[in-house]
Amino acid sequence: MNKIKYLIIDDDNIFSKWLKANIDELFSDFEHISSRHDTLGGLIDVHRNHPDLVFLDQYIDGLSGFDVLDLMKHQPKVIMMSSESIDKTHLENYPNVIGFIEKPVNFDKLKDILQKNELI
């Protein structure tokens, strides 16, 4: 089986490192491309590296997670994350968004989302 290439777009460096460490430990078939702490860098990485999965924070620098989704030309599967509430009905406008997880990440919920979308 090919590895699932993923990247993290989140402005919290400590959270990104924690998320990467846990994903790498739990899912041996996942390959980390990068962690970006700004939306522009994240969009460039999505465009250049064509990840299979993106972990996207809803509230980052000048752009929201929804803005980032609107600007993505490559449409990888996306799991939105936030420590704040969002309008989850708005997620229905983005078929590539496969789930939403509140921070801190519940890894049982993450596993359920990944299994439902045949990523594990």
Side-chain angles (χ1 to χ4, degrees):
M1 181 175 172
N2 290 335
K3 291 205 175 241
I4 303 295
K5 297 186 309 182
Y6 76 95
L7 67 89
I8 299 168
I9 304 174
D10 194 302
D11 58 348
D12 184 337
N13 188 35
I14 293 170
F15 174 80
S16 294
K17 288 179 181 181
W18 175 84
L19 182 62
K20 178 196 177 300
N22 281 280
I23 290 171
D24 290 350
E25 182 179 319
L26 293 170
F27 308 110
S28 61
D29 289 336
F30 279 49
E31 178 183 347
H32 181 252
I33 295 173
S34 70
S35 293
R36 298 300 294 220
H37 309 294
D38 63 296
T39 51
L40 180 58
L43 283 166
I44 290 169
D45 275 1
V46 168
H47 175 73
R48 287 185 180 159
N49 297 307
H50 295 256
D52 303 302
L53 179 63
V54 174
F55 292 90
L56 177 61
D57 187 12
Q58 168 55 21
Y59 299 105
I60 313 175
D61 49 32
L63 301 176
S64 73
F66 293 117
D67 294 332
V68 173
L69 290 168
D70 289 336
L71 294 169
M72 282 185 189
K73 292 184 181 181
H74 172 67
Q75 295 290 308
K77 292 181 180 181
V78 174
I79 296 176
M80 294 282 290
M81 306 174 300
S82 181
S83 56
E84 300 177 32
S85 62
I86 67 166
D87 180 4
K88 292 180 184 133
T89 60
H90 193 57
L91 294 173
E92 296 169 4
N93 297 324
Y94 300 93
N96 60 317
V97 175
I98 61 172
F100 173 80
I101 297 179
E102 292 181 17
K103 294 179 181 178
V105 172
N106 176 320
F107 286 98
D108 289 331
K109 183 173 182 178
L110 176 59
K111 285 179 187 177
D112 288 344
I113 292 169
L114 295 173
Q115 284 175 333
K116 185 190 306 183
N117 289 278
E118 300 177 353
L119 293 169
I120 58 171

